[in-house]
Amino acid sequence: MPRNVAIIGDHFMLPEVFEEKILAACGDKVAIRTRKDNWPDEPMEHGYAVEGMDGLKEYFGSADGVVDFVGDAEIMVTQLAPLSAGMMDRMPGLKLVAVSRGGPVNIDMGAARERGITVVNTPGRNSTAVAEFTIGAILAETRKIREGHEALRKGVWRGDLYRADVTGRELNELTVGVIGYGNIGTKVVKLLRAFGTRVLVCDPYVQLSQEDRIGGVEHVGLHELLERSDVVSMHPRVTEETRQMINAETLKLMRPGTIFVNTARGPLVDYDALHDALESGHLAGAMLETFAVEPVPEDWPLLQLPNVTLTPHIAGASVRTVTFAAEQAAEEVRRYIAGEGPLNRC
């Protein structure tokens, strides 16, 4: 008998791509049903405000809607659908959940373990996309791309951007501090090294690769990184230790004229303090891709500053991310059906 697989995709992680990859991996061993949710055309739930969804964040969809669709399926594949303890109790046949993201924040992991439900994820699914985006973000600030673009759209020819006292600097003459040396941070470091950039890394829980050590990358503490860097780029996970690690005190450690880049997570930064550092001119500029509240309010003060580039949390969005994550999820489904252990158990 084929195993019942319920796929809940969206307009990014397309259910038809999930289905294609799972069928290629499993053939007639699965019976698939799919649903496409309306994210990102509609916003996801970011917080903890919904009753019965304690501890879940960054999810899309209602409990009843998910339960009704998944029904008696043994395997659930999704990116954003929530899965709370109460929902699990209503789906007793569920045995495997494949979440196509780096962290299963939309799943109550404690409840899943108690009920014997295996949860797997797709670590590093968008690490290349975010790393490349980060390099673009740094270049947009260091080479005055944003300033030239915004002026030209207003009909202003910024010829002064060619002045030696105004123009930007090349990456091969800069020191870039990379905070966090995980899947994304390591790729950012590799790309920076190709530019001839001096690179500092801060991550107390990992060691540099031999390639990076040979290439002159330095492993330093946070304060030293902030004091020595021309550009600071954020790549750690959000933990109690890293929450608002960029704040009024740590911003003061940055040298005047530093550029700040955050393509990681909003809670890493005290945005009020960052606003003050940018408004005062202590920081030359910032490129912000993630925020404490998403979508950002229309009257958010950082939207008004001329020395900030902002994008709507899209660094991880690429066509390759979709296919790569679907391939990882499909392999996990294949392994489960074949009685093999999971590759990326959460």
Side-chain angles (χ1 to χ4, degrees):
M1 289 288 292
R3 308 291 186 91
N4 288 330
V5 179
I7 298 173
I8 302 180
D10 48 56
H11 293 296
F12 176 56
M13 287 304 309
L14 300 170
E16 56 265 34
V17 176
F18 277 131
E19 182 175 20
E20 173 193 347
K21 300 301 183 183
I22 293 172
L23 286 174
C26 304
D28 59 4
K29 295 182 176 65
V30 293
I32 295 175
R33 54 179 177 268
T34 66
R35 187 181 90 178
K36 181 181 287 185
D37 284 348
N38 203 31
W39 184 86
D41 294 353
E42 296 179 26
M44 69 175 71
E45 175 64 47
H46 280 272
Y48 306 88
V50 179
E51 185 177 355
M53 298 295 197
D54 297 341
L56 306 190
K57 60 181 180 179
E58 295 183 14
Y59 63 86
F60 188 98
S62 68
D64 288 344
V66 171
V67 171
D68 289 346
F69 175 76
V70 174
D72 62 353
E74 182 179 353
I75 300 167
M76 173 181 169
V77 179
T78 189
Q79 176 187 213
L80 295 177
L83 192 58
S84 66
M87 294 169 65
M88 295 176 202
D89 290 338
R90 296 166 63 189
M91 297 183 288
L94 190 61
K95 300 301 179 184
L96 175 70
V97 179
V99 185
S100 65
R101 59 197 306 179
V105 295
N106 49 321
I107 309 294
D108 185 333
M109 286 303 306
R113 293 186 185 107
E114 289 174 0
R115 290 158 177 78
I117 299 173
T118 299
V119 179
V120 295
N121 67 336
T122 56
R125 65 162 188 165
N126 60 9
S127 58
T128 298
V130 177
E132 290 182 359
F133 189 97
T134 299
I135 300 301
I138 294 172
L139 289 170
E141 295 302 307
T142 58
R143 298 304 305 278
K144 309 291 184 176
I145 295 172
R146 169 183 47 79
E147 294 177 51
H149 166 78
E150 290 185 355
L152 202 54
R153 283 181 64 87
K154 296 175 183 176
V156 178
W157 184 268
R158 287 288 306 273
D160 65 306
L161 291 177
Y162 226 108
R163 289 176 55 104
D165 60 345
V166 177
T167 196
R169 299 172 64 190
E170 297 178 19
L171 282 178
N172 64 65
E173 63 171 332
L174 295 177
T175 298
V176 176
V178 176
I179 301 176
Y181 192 68
N183 284 325
I184 296 170
T186 54
K187 291 186 177 181
V188 171
V189 171
K190 183 176 182 179
L191 292 172
L192 287 170
R193 287 182 53 220
F195 283 88
T197 308
R198 293 185 297 274
V199 181
L200 309 177
V201 168
C202 174
D203 191 324
Y205 301 105
V206 298
Q207 298 297 317
L208 296 179
S209 70
Q210 183 177 6
E211 180 183 3
D212 284 338
R213 289 197 303 271
I214 294 173
V217 177
E218 295 182 56
H219 195 225
V220 300
L222 178 62
H223 286 193
E224 182 178 351
L225 180 145
L226 297 177
E227 290 169 350
R228 292 176 55 190
S229 297
D230 300 300
V231 179
V232 174
S233 187
M234 301 295 291
H235 303 286
R237 291 187 177 275
V238 176
T239 65
E240 289 307 310
E241 183 180 6
T242 62
R243 192 176 298 275
Q244 291 202 352
M245 65 186 303
I246 301 302
N247 51 51
E249 294 305 313
T250 51
L251 286 164
K252 290 177 183 176
L253 296 174
M254 298 184 195
R255 62 176 68 175
T258 297
I259 291 170
F260 178 74
V261 176
N262 185 17
T263 57
R265 282 291 187 267
L268 299 168
V269 182
D270 180 339
Y271 280 100
D272 291 336
L274 178 63
H275 174 275
D276 293 344
L278 288 162
E279 187 177 47
S280 70
H282 176 64
L283 296 187
M287 194 290 166
L288 307 176
E289 150 70 2
T290 60
F291 311 94
V293 177
E294 297 179 4
V296 298
E298 292 182 5
D299 59 351
W300 196 44
L302 274 164
L303 292 174
Q304 314 307 319
L305 295 181
N307 54 345
V308 182
T309 302
L310 306 107
T311 51
H313 203 155
I314 57 172
S318 73
V319 173
R320 178 53 183 154
T321 295
V322 177
T323 57
F324 181 60
E327 287 164 0
Q328 287 183 294
E331 174 59 12
E332 296 286 9
V333 173
R334 185 202 67 78
R335 293 177 70 90
Y336 171 79
I337 293 173
E340 302 173 15
L343 291 174
N344 296 295
R345 185 193 294 270
C346 298

